[in-house]
Amino acid sequence: MSYVLIVGAKSDIAKELSRVYSKNGYDLYLAARDVNELEEFKTDLEVRSNMNVELVELDITQFDSHQSIYSSLKERPLGVIVVSGYMNEQHVVEKDWSESLNTINVNYTGAVSLLNIIANDFEQEKRGFIVGVSSVAGDRGRKANYIYGSAKAAFSTYLSGLRNRLFESGVSVLTVKPGFVATKMTENLDLPEKLTAQPSEVAQDVFKAQQSGKDILYTKWIWRYVMLIIKHIPEFMFKKMSI
Amino acid sequence: MSLISWGMYPKIDNEVHKLTTTAVLKETLNADNEFIAFGNGRSYGDSAINENIIHVKPYEYFLAFDENQGILHVQAGALLSDILDAYVSRGWFLKVTPGTKLITVGGAIASDIHGKNHHIEGCFSECVVEFRIMLANGEIQTAKKGDELFLATCGGMGLTGVILDAKISLKRINSQFIRQTTIKTKNLKETFDAFEEYKHLPYSVAWIDCLATNEEIGKCLLMVGDFADDGDLRYKAKSKLNIPFNFPSFALNNWSVKAFNWLYYNKAPNGVSKQRVHFDSFFYPLDSIRNWNRIYGKNGFTQYQFILPKESSFEGLEKILTKISKSGKGSFLAVLKLYGKENENYLSFPIEGYSLALDFKIEKGLFELLDELDEIVVEYGGRIYLTKDVRVSQETFEKGYPKIEKFREFREKNQMSKKFHSLQSKRLNL
């Protein structure tokens, strides 16, 4: 059997990823804070795919619990996908330290805590894949969401370093940078249709990129060029713009 | 967000209530409003359009599968394509499927859809073991074959409540490929003869050149077939082409349709030929092009689909095809099909006979032409398909559906007529 561990399994992207991986013959560990809400979804996956699906209670911000949760999995996973993310509105986050801390912990510190453990294990086994869902928001600090963006930037850098370290042991690391995605998190935002991906498209893209051993994935692909431009606007001009 | 139908006409603003849980749905229905359920938006007309919409698509979990009996229990928002994605490789297929797999199970029940095998398998309701539905007062009921709720809901266009989940039976297949025979005919007489000759085969459908004139009227490519037996079930759904924007309205005219029809008809070998084709291209040729409705331009289009009883089909079709080819308002898609026996449901479309479906872009003079076609349909004892309709008159509609009074009484008695309405149900006083 080959298990994939999906962390932050309640999100829309994670759900679509679960469908893609189970359909392609992987068993799944779905990890989330409150797994009770995933019971029906677990049944859905099992009925659709005939693969095993196990629910794992895991809080990405409870760093101390990560080692024991990982060790208690009945079988080592073949791969891990970290989808956990947290984004509140910038004006709330910048005034409330607990919100700032939570943003950093969910998007960065928690992921590092968990992936350190898994990376060591995979390195020793000389196999496995790691996928981290970061964000285009990490490519440049913008006034609209720089706390979230800086945590994602740190996560992207972490994944980049991890990829270089694990290359020799044959463990692949994929950084996913989605642009706008039509999910619960963005439900109330007015997003441009052409730049907005459906969670199912993102999941397909991630699966393909992971299977082919790609390093960095922008999804939709156009974001790579959008961010290329945004990254190259000089700071003295950028600060006057409201991008 | 406003939801529109596949025909992109009419466009009205509407409030969309996502179906996530039955508790939320019950609360929604409590409000002092009228609602209509909306699945994946593949109905052409106004049957799922209203100011308040229950969006059933998000309610899409698979609940159980009985491998021994091939019975799948699934929530109403699941698409037929989801079912195929999951089960073709395990050797199962839908017993009844329409020309698109991108419809929900709830929509399939509410339209009591039919497929290329209606003359053998009947409508979708034949494979529905039971379903659960939320009624106007928020109560959930289970309907089985023979129940009045079943008779009124299958084909009832969502006007009896919100279908929640259903148990449907699947059929065994041994291949993802179809052994297809194509018969090229020269006129309507030959087309009818070919249908009769091949009606022992489970699947059949004819593409008609609706701009052909005089002695060529009714010339067609008839495609018949059945699943192959080679055991190849390694099914992977393919990615799709996209039509990224609405075509300008002049793109589709008499000349472009004529050219398309000429190419399509002439690429097929004369007489009888055999092919091996994938089920996706056999059943769902247009699903491979996302948003193909955009080729008709931003004003939208409609599909005119009617059925005539067998004994009057030939005469009626000849008249109608003559009228269409004279009008010059042809469509790429003109599909002729043979149907088997009528079922007991109050508003299901099929009767034993032939049905023709044609796409028309919405333009000046179209509805007048369709009104004239209606007269012929009524004269020959036929009826119009509600799932495709956006403009039929109440009078024409009622002449085709003798069980309409039973349906109205049932709705009245169960307070459904106070809670569930679409633009279509108001137009036709359903």
Side-chain angles (χ1 to χ4, degrees):
Chain A
M1 270 186 281
S2 50
Y3 276 91
V4 172
L5 168 64
I6 298 183
V7 184
K10 268 193 293 187
S11 80
D12 293 326
I13 292 176
K15 281 186 163 177
E16 292 298 336
L17 279 166
S18 310
R19 288 206 171 132
V20 173
Y21 274 86
S22 62
K23 198 168 126 187
N24 281 285
Y26 290 89
D27 299 307
L28 296 176
Y29 294 120
L30 300 185
R33 242 183 335 175
D34 183 3
V35 285
N36 288 335
E37 288 171 42
L38 282 170
E39 285 290 349
E40 282 183 328
F41 183 59
K42 166 182 149 80
T43 308
D44 173 69
L45 289 171
E46 287 171 334
V47 174
R48 281 181 199 241
S49 70
N50 236 354
M51 303 307 293
N52 294 312
V53 181
E54 316 252 340
L55 302 181
V56 179
E57 198 139 333
L58 183 145
D59 183 340
I60 196 89
T61 63
Q62 296 300 308
F63 317 125
D64 293 344
S65 69
H66 292 170
Q67 179 65 61
S68 65
I69 291 172
Y70 184 69
S71 306
S72 68
L73 297 178
K74 64 173 191 190
E75 202 178 301
R76 299 283 173 79
L78 192 72
V80 56
I81 308 177
V82 177
V83 196
S84 319
Y86 177 76
M87 184 177 78
N88 201 339
E89 287 176 56
Q90 171 69 22
H91 69 90
V92 179
V93 183
E94 66 197 22
K95 290 191 181 73
D96 181 342
W97 171 242
S98 66
E99 279 291 317
S100 288
L101 193 62
N102 196 41
T103 305
I104 296 162
N105 282 343
V106 175
N107 294 300
Y108 179 59
T109 331
V112 172
S113 157
L114 182 67
L115 284 180
N116 276 353
I117 296 163
I118 297 175
N120 292 340
D121 184 36
F122 282 7
E123 188 177 40
Q124 211 160 31
E125 299 279 321
K126 294 202 182 326
R127 56 134 189 85
F129 65 83
I130 293 169
V131 178
V133 177
S134 186
S135 170
V136 298
D139 281 8
R140 184 152 198 186
R142 302 185 303 121
K143 64 179 166 192
N145 66 356
Y146 63 87
I147 293 180
Y148 172 80
S150 62
K152 287 295 192 188
F155 188 39
S156 295
T157 306
Y158 171 81
L159 290 168
S160 160
L162 196 61
R163 171 164 44 248
N164 291 298
R165 168 189 151 200
L166 294 178
F167 174 69
E168 259 178 58
S169 48
V171 179
S172 68
V173 178
L174 169 67
T175 308
V176 182
K177 296 185 179 181
F180 300 140
V181 187
T183 63
K184 279 175 281 193
M185 192 160 94
T186 59
E187 203 167 39
N188 298 319
L189 304 177
D190 190 17
L191 302 176
E193 197 198 337
K194 297 261 183 267
L195 287 174
T196 306
Q198 293 302 315
S200 55
E201 293 175 79
V202 174
Q204 290 288 352
D205 283 0
V206 169
F207 179 73
K208 260 190 240 160
Q210 180 273 311
Q211 293 283 311
S212 62
K214 218 174 153 171
D215 298 326
I216 297 170
L217 168 72
Y218 280 89
T219 176
K220 303 182 161 198
W221 60 269
I222 188 154
W223 279 98
R224 185 174 168 183
Y225 301 97
V226 173
M227 294 321 294
L228 193 71
I229 295 165
I230 290 180
K231 275 194 286 192
H232 284 89
I233 300 171
E235 192 80 358
F236 75 88
M237 280 168 72
F238 198 67
K239 70 185 182 194
K240 292 177 198 156
M241 301 166 76
S242 47
I243 286 179
Chain B
M1 171 166 95
S2 279
L3 292 171
I4 57 168
S5 75
W6 189 240
M8 304 192 291
Y9 173 89
K11 286 178 179 140
I12 65 161
D13 287 336
N14 44 47
E15 191 159 330
V16 178
H17 308 264
K18 261 195 209 171
L19 173 51
T20 47
T21 67
T22 52
V24 171
L25 177 62
K26 187 174 177 175
E27 213 170 286
T28 307
L29 291 183
N30 251 331
D32 196 20
N33 275 327
E34 288 171 348
F35 297 91
I36 192 71
F38 184 105
N40 198 35
R42 293 288 160 146
S43 297
Y44 289 73
D46 51 0
S47 57
I49 300 294
N50 206 356
E51 277 135 30
N52 281 288
I53 281 176
I54 308 286
H55 195 198
V56 179
K57 171 87 206 312
Y59 200 65
E60 53 157 21
Y61 283 160
F62 284 45
L63 305 171
F65 183 58
D66 178 339
E67 196 97 35
N68 294 321
Q69 300 190 67
I71 292 174
L72 174 66
H73 190 194
V74 66
Q75 287 181 340
L79 298 179
L80 300 189
S81 61
D82 296 336
I83 298 175
L84 298 177
D85 279 354
Y87 292 107
V88 165
S89 54
R90 286 146 81 178
W92 298 96
F93 199 76
L94 298 157
K95 274 193 174 157
V96 172
T97 174
T100 171
K101 57 181 174 175
L102 302 174
I103 64 162
T104 60
V105 168
I109 295 172
S111 286
D112 202 12
I113 52 112
H114 51 267
K116 296 175 171 56
N117 57 350
H118 184 272
H119 60 293
I120 308 256
E121 295 277 2
C123 287
F124 194 78
S125 51
E126 295 296 326
C127 72
V128 178
V129 181
E130 61 177 54
F131 60 80
R132 294 193 316 144
I133 182 168
M134 188 175 285
L135 304 175
N137 58 5
E139 188 196 328
I140 296 171
Q141 266 193 28
T142 302
K144 290 192 169 66
K145 282 202 174 71
D147 297 348
E148 200 179 10
L149 184 57
F150 192 95
L151 295 174
T153 303
C154 297
M157 308 312 291
L159 296 169
T160 55
V162 180
I163 299 165
L164 298 172
D165 50 61
K167 290 182 182 164
I168 62 170
S169 52
L170 304 180
K171 70 178 239 174
R172 273 275 180 209
I173 51 167
N174 288 314
S175 173
Q176 56 179 329
F177 291 98
I178 301 280
R179 277 194 311 250
Q180 174 181 289
T181 304
T182 304
I183 304 105
K184 193 171 182 173
T185 70
K186 294 196 185 70
N187 54 45
L188 195 59
K189 173 77 176 48
E190 277 190 27
T191 301
F192 270 56
D193 289 347
F195 263 114
E196 284 300 321
E197 190 184 336
Y198 288 95
K199 75 175 177 193
H200 60 283
L201 285 170
Y203 299 107
S204 66
V205 65
W207 168 85
I208 291 233
D209 181 350
C210 61
L211 291 179
T213 50
N214 304 322
E215 62 274 11
E216 288 201 316
I217 276 181
K219 74 174 182 183
C220 86
L221 298 179
L222 173 64
M223 277 134 328
V224 298
D226 195 1
F227 280 94
D229 214 8
D230 56 24
D232 183 354
L233 292 163
R234 294 162 305 169
Y235 177 59
K236 274 238 162 83
K238 291 181 190 67
S239 61
K240 301 167 203 154
L241 219 76
N242 188 24
I243 305 281
F245 50 81
N246 291 317
F247 278 24
S249 60
F250 59 78
L252 205 74
N253 56 44
N254 200 1
W255 295 106
S256 59
V257 173
K258 259 195 179 140
F260 172 84
N261 286 2
W262 188 87
L263 281 169
Y264 193 78
Y265 185 76
N266 283 294
K267 84 168 189 181
N270 284 327
V272 178
S273 56
K274 290 194 186 297
Q275 302 88 23
R276 179 183 153 93
V277 297
H278 194 267
F279 80 78
D280 262 331
S281 57
F282 183 77
F283 290 109
Y284 316 113
L286 286 170
D287 282 351
S288 57
I289 309 168
R290 250 190 322 161
N291 304 317
W292 63 259
N293 52 345
R294 291 178 178 168
I295 67 171
Y296 289 93
K298 66 174 174 1
N299 294 336
F301 74 114
T302 187
Q303 187 168 90
Y304 185 70
Q305 182 165 13
F306 64 89
I307 189 162
L308 299 176
K310 209 163 185 183
E311 56 282 5
S312 63
S313 285
F314 187 83
E315 243 184 282
L317 275 165
E318 203 168 40
K319 258 195 180 172
I320 287 174
L321 286 167
T322 308
K323 218 174 190 59
I324 292 169
S325 80
K326 272 193 188 141
S327 78
K329 291 188 198 303
S331 68
F332 293 114
L333 192 85
V335 174
L336 182 69
K337 228 162 33 185
L338 173 64
Y339 288 66
K341 294 242 174 313
E342 183 176 2
N343 65 25
E344 296 289 305
N345 303 332
Y346 294 166
L347 293 184
S348 285
F349 168 68
I351 53 177
E352 188 164 14
Y354 285 89
S355 118
L356 183 68
L358 305 133
D359 287 350
F360 293 97
K361 71 174 169 180
I362 306 267
E363 61 182 342
K364 235 180 167 180
L366 173 67
F367 287 177
E368 287 81 351
L369 170 69
L370 299 183
D371 286 342
E372 288 174 33
L373 301 183
D374 280 350
E375 280 176 33
I376 308 173
V377 171
V378 169
E379 185 190 332
Y380 285 92
R383 56 169 65 158
I384 304 285
Y385 191 13
L386 288 173
T387 306
K388 312 287 180 73
D389 159 64
V390 72
R391 35 61 56 190
V392 78
S393 74
Q394 184 178 336
E395 197 192 346
T396 300
F397 162 75
E398 284 179 353
K399 284 188 180 143
Y401 289 85
K403 288 179 233 156
I404 178 63
E405 278 315 320
K406 277 187 174 172
F407 183 75
R408 282 179 182 142
E409 278 163 28
F410 183 74
R411 252 166 65 79
E412 195 78 27
K413 195 173 75 193
N414 292 287
Q415 319 289 318
M416 295 157 179
S417 48
K418 288 202 180 77
K419 188 54 63 184
F420 301 108
H421 268 294
S422 60
L423 294 184
Q424 180 180 60
S425 75
K426 287 182 184 159
R427 182 163 50 81
L428 299 177
N429 187 24
L430 294 179

